[in-house]
Amino acid sequence: MLVKKLGKKAIACLSAAAVIVAGVVVYLCVPKASMQPVTLLTQSVQNDGEQDYAAFRQSMAGVPQGSESIRVSVEGDKVTIPAGTGFDLTVELPSKSLYNVSAVYQNDGETLIDYDMSLLVNGQLPYAELADVPLKTVWVLDDTTYREGATPDLIQNDKPLTQPLRDRNAYYADPLQICLEEGINTLTVQAGALDLTLCALLLEPADVIPNYAQYRQTLSGKGGNSIYFQAEYADHRNNPSILELSDGTSSQTVPASADKSLINTIGGTSYSTPMDSLSWKFYVETPGTYTLNMRIRQDFSSGAAVCRSLLIDGKTPFEECRSLVIPYDNGFRQYQPGMDGEAFQFELEAGEHTLTLEVTLGQ
């Protein structure tokens, strides 16, 4: 079920270096890891952390990654944690290991702001960044208000969402990790300013992401059919302030009109806050190797480049996709992610896929 209609006139714009996306042509499918349900206990604890994540990572240099993915589910599918309180989950491990952590949560109310949480491990806050982790809401188009060239309403998705825990300032491209000891561990999720409906925590070993040279060796080299879609109506966005726009600076921007103001782009200065993202669904009929081509305008801050991370089906295909650098230039142009004058190629299986572009700080 989808809830919470939102008219665009009620949304404020954000300002910073940005990029307008006008149209996209084409695009890795990573199989999901298996999950194990785990028995839960409930109690409440709290403590303060002193070190930051960089110091924590340095202190964990010799600790191995976990050997498998684990889903720590809430009994009864979900629990609502009142603001400012905590809820405990337990998990038993055969050995000391490092894990990425993702939260599976659900929006059960109507809010224009993100949720937030903190995570304690065995009664302690491992590092400062886990004291204030943002959990994004997701917004989709209200199909009943959709009309080409017009601004539709947004509705908030109240289906369960899965998000890796990230530091609020987006200094780290990878999800935050925790260290779990051999035996029984207690994970305490504390809700921030809003009540938080929690479904599960996912514990996963860090992905081994190849560089493009390594990834390229896995390509089939078989060409597929071109796939084209308009970008102005993104299937998902995690910030309702990212706006569809009418841009009349080029007659090649579709749709175009000499006498009407039609929605034909998305983004601009409203698409500039780190971790804000836009996602588009597309369907591949012919499996094979594809390149990505976008029509963009990036001339908002004179001379300044902006960066976007590229994900396909929620995963980073290769290291270079962590931070695509989009240089400043006047007007609309074709932009093809690549390096050394060569476009990146992506291997795609047949079926539905999702392309996501996320605002990142870059290097």
Side-chain angles (χ1 to χ4, degrees):
M1 183 177 65
L2 297 172
V3 298
K4 182 57 180 171
K5 287 191 178 183
L6 183 68
K8 289 305 181 56
K9 293 182 179 178
I11 304 174
C13 291
L14 303 172
S15 61
V19 59
I20 282 180
V21 183
V24 181
V25 184
V26 112
Y27 322 51
L28 202 158
C29 189
V30 180
K32 296 182 178 179
S34 60
M35 301 297 175
Q36 292 182 329
V38 175
T39 304
L40 311 178
L41 299 177
T42 58
Q43 56 184 6
S44 184
V45 286
Q46 185 173 359
N47 211 321
D48 295 322
E50 296 180 356
Q51 66 179 341
D52 63 13
Y53 187 52
F56 170 81
R57 291 202 305 181
Q58 187 174 8
S59 69
M60 295 290 132
V63 180
Q65 294 289 323
S67 59
E68 60 182 356
S69 298
I70 304 170
R71 181 184 180 100
V72 189
S73 299
V74 170
E75 187 175 358
D77 294 331
K78 63 181 180 179
V79 62
T80 298
I81 307 172
T85 68
F87 184 83
D88 286 2
L89 311 171
T90 62
V91 58
E92 186 172 4
L93 295 179
S95 60
K96 183 177 181 178
S97 306
L98 289 172
Y99 287 91
N100 289 355
V101 185
S102 295
V104 183
Y105 58 101
Q106 188 168 347
N107 172 43
D108 282 337
E110 297 182 357
T111 176
L112 295 179
I113 63 175
D114 295 331
Y115 296 93
D116 60 299
M117 60 165 279
S118 59
L119 180 66
L120 306 180
V121 179
N122 296 321
Q124 302 290 325
L125 191 66
Y127 45 86
E129 287 82 353
L130 276 180
D132 183 23
V133 176
L135 296 176
K136 295 283 192 176
T137 55
V138 170
W139 300 80
V140 298
L141 301 179
D142 180 359
D143 291 337
T144 64
T145 65
Y146 171 77
R147 183 169 55 85
E148 186 177 16
T151 302
D153 289 340
L154 296 178
I155 48 180
Q156 202 170 52
N157 189 347
D158 70 349
K159 295 179 181 178
L161 304 171
T162 300
Q163 179 186 300
L165 301 193
R166 305 269 297 276
D167 71 291
R168 181 169 292 279
N169 295 317
Y171 291 154
Y172 302 96
D174 292 323
L176 298 174
Q177 289 206 309
I178 59 173
C179 178
L180 298 179
E181 302 292 336
E182 178 182 350
I184 295 177
N185 293 263
T186 301
L187 304 175
T188 304
V189 177
Q190 293 186 327
L194 301 174
D195 294 353
L196 176 64
T197 299
L198 181 71
C199 302
L201 292 178
L202 303 184
L203 306 176
E204 300 174 291
D207 290 333
V208 178
I209 301 176
N211 60 33
Y212 183 60
Q214 296 167 327
Y215 175 79
R216 189 178 179 186
Q217 294 176 3
T218 68
L219 298 175
S220 67
K222 299 177 181 179
N225 298 322
S226 294
I227 304 167
Y228 177 83
F229 54 87
Q230 293 294 113
E232 59 262 29
Y233 296 116
D235 290 283
H236 298 95
R237 71 196 75 188
N238 66 5
N239 185 341
S241 295
I242 304 175
L243 304 178
E244 296 93 358
L245 304 168
S246 177
D247 191 306
T249 60
S250 171
S251 60
Q252 298 180 28
T253 305
V254 178
S257 174
D259 58 351
K260 294 180 181 179
S261 180
L262 300 178
I263 293 298
N264 54 15
T265 56
I266 191 170
T269 54
S270 66
Y271 180 38
S272 57
T273 303
M275 290 195 286
D276 280 0
S277 67
L278 295 170
S279 296
W280 298 266
K281 293 181 180 180
F282 62 98
Y283 192 85
V284 174
E285 292 186 357
T286 305
T289 302
Y290 291 82
T291 59
L292 171 63
N293 195 6
M294 295 183 283
R295 188 165 184 269
I296 66 167
R297 179 163 72 86
Q298 202 294 89
D299 55 4
F300 294 90
S301 295
S302 182
V306 301
C307 298
R308 297 291 182 268
S309 61
L310 185 152
L311 300 95
I312 295 179
D313 300 332
K315 298 289 186 179
T316 303
F318 44 87
E319 281 287 343
E320 288 79 356
C321 287
R322 290 183 184 274
S323 181
L324 303 177
V325 179
I326 305 175
Y328 174 90
D329 203 354
N330 288 321
F332 278 98
R333 68 185 190 275
Q334 297 297 318
Y335 169 71
Q336 205 168 35
M339 59 187 299
D340 300 327
E342 179 186 353
F344 290 140
Q345 299 178 53
F346 303 89
E347 189 71 22
L348 294 172
E349 298 178 357
E352 186 177 80
H353 297 273
T354 301
L355 167 70
T356 300
L357 293 176
E358 180 183 288
V359 180
T360 180
L361 296 174
Q363 298 300 319

